[in-house]
Amino acid sequence: MALAKREPAASGYDLGPLEFTGSQMIWEALLREGVKIVFGHPGGAILPAYDALAEYEADGRIHHVLVRHEQCAAHMADGFARATGDVGVCIVTSGPGATNLVTGLATAQMDSVPVVAITGQVPTNLLGTDAFQESDVVGVTQPVCKHNYLVTDIAELPLVMKEAFYIAREGRPGVVLVDICKDVQIETGIFRYDFEINLPGFEPWPEYSPESVQAAAELLNESERPLILAGHGIHLSNTSEELLQLVEKAGIPVVTTLLGTGNIPETHPLSLGMGGMHGEAFANRAVQACDVLVAMGMRFDDRITGRLDRFAAKAKIVHFELDRAEVGKNIVPDVAVIGDLAETLPAFLPQIKERRHQEWVDTLSEWRSETDEADIIQFEVEELIPPFVIRQLWHATEQTEKRVIVVTDVGQHQMWESQYYIHEHAGMLLTSGGLGTMGYALPAALGAQMSDPDALVWCVAGDGGFQMTLQELATIQQEKLPVKIAIINNGFLGMVRQWQQIFYDKRYVGTPILSPDYVKLAEAYDIPAAVVRHPSEVVSVLEQAHKTDGPFLVDFQVKEEVNVYPMVAPGAAVDELIRRPKPGYVQGYSGVQPSW
Amino acid sequence: MQYTLVAWMRDKPGVLNRVSGMLRRRNFNIDSLQVSHSETPGISRMTFVVDGDERVADQVVKQLRKVVDVTAVEDITNRLAILRELALIRVRTTPATRGEIMQFAEIYRAQIVDVNAENLVVQAVGTEDKVDSLIELLRPFGIEEMVRTGRVALCRGDERPKRTKPATSIFKAAASLNGSGHGDPE
């Protein structure tokens, strides 16, 4: 039996045996898992559980956030989980309630976010009869869950709840769904929570082999041009510190994945920022030129590798990874270190020689100076362009004492945020990297803010993605949350439009998108808002947003047809990228053109 | 090439669906899949025949291990193993052909398990190759109906799978299980 590594919050609750209804058991289990906030939407098949919730809400033990669409319940649980590192919980009814969850669950699962979803199901005697609001939730969600359960017998309920949290939390985190029949919620049974978890097929924490660490160290010590490619696993295993020690001891430059953003401070001289499809040219050139690539807690997604057979072709590859199945899935490494980074990194560090790799670092600096993206930002611009907005947002948030969390949606603004915002630490950026779910930002920002009311949470979304889940403005107001919202409004589904421009001969089919008057919309929800049309207004409006207690919405009406560069075309190698246009050809800039 | 994998799993509702769903989702090419009880109550045993290269087989094993209800997975491709399949074949007969069909069956140590005026049912047990070749012999007589179980496998003596957790090791493509042919002394 694998032992739990991450203890749930100490609950101090009686572990039983106690007599409860199934509904009470749900909440009692949540309490014992340290859950205080759930995101949900009631309905017929989950009504008994909601009825039982009354007593837990009355004394403040559990707070329920009513969402306006079940997809957002999952996104909020996801945002909550990413911001806290512990399990986020959502609860919805059967049928449409549960099927609405699917996108949110898939989003969390793709990005290894621990979420437990509880869904009501029709009573056991109606199972399989196509009863009202019945759907095969376990069947529907199976491919997007780490594991899921259908509970038809109250005797199983406490153990299932405990296993659900255990599986979601332990090892590579993920989504577990528990589908509970309505009659099970109503029945009374014996509740206990002192079970030993016995899951012989579940191997959350594979033991690392010291030989593999040694082999990895030998490769790295001989390297002249080493590079680290750091992913989400660094953040999940809380090993940013160890990574930084390694980087500084051995003088190794670091490229991150999108979800690895901030693994080492982006102001660090050895940080090359994000690699892959929209990574800077010098980061991708580094990947292609290195002789040893140490990948840590990442899965060689196609957005980071580009064309696989030409990815890091000159390099020996070392793969530090917890999930055995990720090793050899896309890239077969020369050395694999399978295990928890919290164990393998500390074992690795003392075996690494102190090095500077000056020549290599100098080469990279030279490449970097060719792409001095900082210049892009500093110049005065006549038109409002998104990179400028993002950089100003960074300047504005840099001054705050508060914990800053930026939540981005999916598309051009997401890539600009990643390029022009300067992330100082892991976990600062929450974004849907794997599934690429439009509509993620607003509900996830809400979930993150629920976990930390004092944090400064910025939701950055495009006009397309924002309109997918904007109904949650009501939830923000109902919960009185101070979420700040920046809409990067360019009148297009911008990333799709960019692809149409580059790969489809500029045929803009289905991409021009109408927006409502966002200031009026915000007013309808009683949320203060402002519109920004000119670069000169950006700073003052951001100040106004920060000074406002409570939520604030800014509609940045940016220049329409601006592209994200550099860009690696799908199927191309990561060094065959489309660079930023040369000075003089760039729209949106005036005066002195920076030299890119 | 073909790989033979054996997986043990908790005998729970939907577990077959979990496994087959994963195989479908990950686009693995499965030639045959057979599920039955094992010697342990509450544990089912599945035998897979996977078509692909060693990386595919390696991925199937690893992805199977990630299914929570799957308790163990073994690649027994390179072990000495008894590989068997059972087939029931209904062959059209005339008084003139019945004798010949029965002779073929006897050569293959197959049994006649049902007989009437128009047809008979041959029960064949053996490796897939053997069953295939019997079927080809019977085909000209007219096969009216047929069912095959898919491969089941049991390792010989000391080749028995240990069903323990795999030791974490340095992954090398060449080091994963490969090779060719299935040991069958018959």
Side-chain angles (χ1 to χ4, degrees):
Chain A
M1 191 196 81
L3 292 173
K5 265 201 171 177
R6 300 190 179 144
E7 287 298 318
S11 54
Y13 288 97
D14 189 350
L15 295 178
L18 302 158
E19 198 177 78
F20 284 123
T21 64
S23 296
Q24 287 172 313
M25 288 182 189
I26 297 170
W27 304 112
E28 292 292 332
L30 295 191
L31 290 176
R32 282 155 186 76
E33 297 293 345
V35 176
K36 295 186 175 68
I37 296 169
V38 298
F39 304 91
H41 198 289
I46 196 71
L47 253 178
Y50 269 79
D51 187 51
L53 173 61
E55 106 184 57
Y56 298 87
E57 272 212 309
D59 57 13
R61 281 181 291 171
I62 287 181
H63 178 76
H64 175 264
V65 177
L66 175 67
V67 302
R68 298 302 186 273
H69 186 290
E70 289 91 346
Q71 178 191 340
C72 296
H75 288 325
M76 287 178 202
D78 172 317
F80 180 95
R82 292 193 210 220
T84 57
D86 201 4
V87 181
V89 179
C90 53
I91 178 164
V92 302
T93 193
S94 65
T99 54
N100 273 347
L101 270 185
V102 173
T103 303
L105 300 183
T107 305
Q109 175 69 10
M110 273 287 253
D111 288 349
S112 310
V113 179
V115 167
V116 168
I118 296 160
T119 52
Q121 181 54 281
V122 300
T124 45
N125 65 325
L126 292 182
L127 276 177
T129 66
D130 300 319
F132 178 65
Q133 292 196 331
E134 184 189 2
S135 70
D136 172 17
V137 176
V138 164
V140 167
T141 60
Q142 209 160 272
V144 300
C145 282
K146 193 173 175 185
H147 195 54
N148 61 15
Y149 296 90
L150 170 65
V151 184
T152 54
D153 179 355
I154 192 163
E156 294 171 2
L157 184 56
L159 177 61
V160 164
M161 290 298 292
K162 191 163 185 177
E163 280 188 3
F165 276 87
Y166 180 82
I167 293 170
R169 197 181 267 137
E170 298 293 317
R172 180 177 176 184
V175 175
V176 182
L177 179 138
V178 184
D179 196 25
I180 308 169
C181 286
K182 189 174 183 178
D183 52 332
V184 174
Q185 297 168 39
I186 296 166
E187 281 167 35
T188 301
I190 299 299
F191 176 86
R192 49 189 316 148
Y193 217 65
D194 53 356
F195 302 104
E196 290 270 317
I197 299 278
N198 179 24
L199 292 168
F202 184 55
E203 189 200 15
W205 303 109
E207 244 175 81
Y208 76 93
S209 99
E211 295 79 33
S212 67
V213 175
Q214 199 187 333
E218 279 166 15
L219 260 187
L220 187 58
N221 283 334
E222 285 162 21
S223 162
E224 291 307 318
R225 300 188 308 280
L227 186 72
I228 289 173
L229 186 47
H232 197 195
I234 294 285
H235 177 47
L236 291 173
S237 60
N238 201 15
T239 49
S240 287
E241 196 103 326
E242 287 85 346
L243 175 66
L244 192 61
Q245 285 173 28
L246 171 67
V247 163
E248 290 183 340
K249 183 177 180 187
I252 313 173
V254 181
V255 171
T256 66
T257 66
L258 178 60
L259 292 186
T261 297
N263 276 339
I264 73 166
E266 289 180 341
T267 46
H268 195 283
L270 288 169
S271 165
L272 303 179
M274 182 180 73
M277 185 171 269
H278 292 294
E280 292 299 341
F282 53 84
N284 284 328
R285 277 179 83 177
V287 170
Q288 296 301 69
C290 68
D291 63 359
V292 171
L293 181 73
V294 185
M296 293 183 159
M298 54 84 68
R299 58 186 175 85
F300 296 104
D301 178 80
D302 58 88
R303 286 302 189 260
I304 201 88
T305 62
R307 192 172 144 178
L308 264 180
D309 60 349
R310 293 192 32 204
F311 174 76
K314 293 175 190 150
K316 297 258 187 211
I317 292 176
V318 180
H319 195 180
F320 282 75
E321 173 58 45
L322 179 63
D323 182 351
R324 208 183 284 284
E326 293 300 346
V327 177
K329 187 179 82 179
N330 297 331
I331 291 272
V332 179
D334 296 277
V335 176
V337 182
I338 296 167
D340 183 4
L341 279 165
E343 291 172 0
T344 54
L345 256 182
F348 188 54
L349 197 52
Q351 301 186 41
I352 299 303
K353 287 185 197 149
E354 280 190 42
R355 296 279 296 269
R356 291 273 68 87
H357 298 111
Q358 202 55 50
E359 202 178 317
W360 170 233
V361 172
D362 287 346
T363 308
L364 292 177
S365 306
E366 201 179 301
W367 291 348
R368 181 182 213 144
S369 63
E370 290 170 19
T371 317
D372 199 350
E373 51 84 24
D375 286 357
I376 303 162
I377 297 308
Q378 286 160 6
F379 286 88
E380 282 188 19
V381 287
E382 271 180 3
E383 290 175 284
L384 189 63
I385 57 157
F388 176 79
V389 174
I390 299 292
R391 187 51 68 91
Q392 293 308 319
L393 178 66
W394 171 68
H395 281 304
T397 55
E398 200 194 8
Q399 292 156 12
T400 178
E401 301 275 289
K402 293 177 177 175
R403 173 186 177 195
V404 178
I405 300 172
V406 183
V407 188
T408 56
D409 216 78
V410 170
Q412 286 188 314
H413 73 278
Q414 182 190 28
M415 293 298 103
W416 282 316
E417 194 281 344
S418 144
Q419 294 176 336
Y420 296 105
Y421 195 94
I422 297 175
H423 307 85
E424 287 294 331
H425 51 81
M428 212 170 166
L429 168 64
L430 315 185
T431 195
S432 167
L435 198 68
T437 308
M438 284 173 70
Y440 171 80
L442 187 66
L446 200 156
Q449 186 81 73
M450 281 302 299
S451 78
D452 187 353
D454 297 325
L456 174 59
V457 178
W458 268 98
C459 157
V460 182
D463 43 334
F466 183 75
Q467 290 189 70
M468 283 194 176
T469 50
L470 58 76
Q471 74 281 352
E472 301 304 325
L473 288 174
T475 314
I476 286 180
Q477 209 41 309
Q478 187 164 351
E479 295 295 329
K480 307 212 179 320
L481 293 173
V483 176
K484 314 295 179 192
I485 301 156
I487 303 172
I488 309 297
N489 179 359
N490 60 7
F492 277 101
L493 300 171
M495 188 60 94
V496 186
R497 183 206 57 72
Q498 175 172 343
W499 282 50
Q500 288 174 335
Q501 181 186 334
I502 298 173
F503 306 118
Y504 295 90
D505 208 15
K506 223 175 170 181
R507 284 186 296 279
Y508 294 163
V509 183
T511 42
I513 181 170
L514 181 78
S515 276
D517 180 331
Y518 288 115
V519 176
K520 276 190 190 159
L521 178 79
E523 257 170 38
Y525 289 103
D526 206 15
I527 292 173
V531 61
V532 173
R533 294 191 182 87
H534 194 271
S536 61
E537 301 159 349
V538 174
V539 174
S540 60
V541 169
L542 288 174
E543 253 173 44
Q544 192 191 346
H546 284 168
K547 274 185 195 148
T548 308
D549 287 333
F552 197 92
L553 182 148
V554 191
D555 175 12
F556 289 101
Q557 296 192 357
V558 297
K559 186 175 166 53
E560 287 183 348
E561 296 183 42
V562 181
N563 289 344
V564 180
Y565 292 116
M567 179 181 191
V568 179
V574 286
D575 51 355
E576 300 171 333
L577 36 74
I578 308 169
R579 300 289 291 266
R580 287 191 183 81
K582 290 272 182 275
Y585 295 96
V586 182
Q587 298 168 325
Y589 296 96
S590 65
V592 184
Q593 287 283 358
S595 55
W596 302 329
Chain B
M1 67 170 274
Q2 280 194 337
Y3 290 80
T4 307
L5 312 180
V6 180
W8 290 263
M9 58 208 67
R10 298 202 287 181
D11 184 13
K12 292 195 144 196
V15 65
L16 176 61
N17 193 14
R18 280 181 204 284
V19 169
S20 61
M22 184 280 292
L23 297 171
R24 174 195 51 74
R25 163 168 127 62
R26 299 216 175 254
N27 203 21
F28 294 132
N29 203 349
I30 303 299
D31 276 0
S32 96
L33 188 163
Q34 186 277 341
V35 58
S36 71
H37 294 298
S38 72
E39 70 285 0
T40 315
I43 298 287
S44 298
R45 176 176 174 131
M46 266 192 209
T47 312
F48 304 84
V49 179
V50 179
D51 194 29
D53 58 19
E54 57 180 331
R55 275 185 70 182
V56 171
D58 177 70
Q59 265 295 302
V60 176
V61 170
K62 286 169 169 172
Q63 296 293 350
L64 278 170
R65 284 201 179 116
K66 276 179 77 171
V67 178
V68 170
D69 287 329
V70 172
T71 57
V73 186
E74 288 282 340
D75 181 343
I76 62 163
T77 310
N78 288 340
R79 305 245 178 89
L80 286 178
I82 305 148
L83 307 173
R84 289 292 181 274
E85 181 174 19
L86 182 144
L88 296 173
I89 311 152
R90 190 189 307 280
V91 191
R92 197 177 307 128
T93 56
T94 62
T97 61
R98 189 177 295 121
E100 196 180 351
I101 291 168
M102 290 174 71
Q103 270 183 355
F104 281 143
E106 199 175 326
I107 293 166
Y108 278 81
R109 291 188 213 160
Q111 289 174 294
I112 309 300
V113 291
D114 185 41
V115 63
N116 60 49
E118 282 90 36
N119 58 51
L120 55 76
V121 176
V122 180
Q123 171 190 298
V125 177
T127 61
E128 286 111 304
D129 287 354
K130 181 172 150 185
V131 174
D132 283 345
S133 93
L134 175 59
I135 288 167
E136 286 318 305
L137 273 178
L138 295 178
R139 204 178 288 284
F141 299 101
I143 293 178
E144 292 183 342
E145 200 183 356
M146 184 176 83
V147 60
R148 300 175 71 160
T149 58
R151 185 185 295 178
V152 293
L154 205 63
C155 288
R156 291 181 186 273
D158 290 342
E159 300 277 320
R160 207 161 59 239
K162 305 286 185 290
R163 273 209 258 167
T164 49
K165 290 288 173 197
T168 306
S169 61
I170 300 170
F171 178 92
K172 287 218 170 67
S176 56
L177 297 167
N178 56 15
S180 57
H182 304 285
D184 190 342
E186 258 193 36

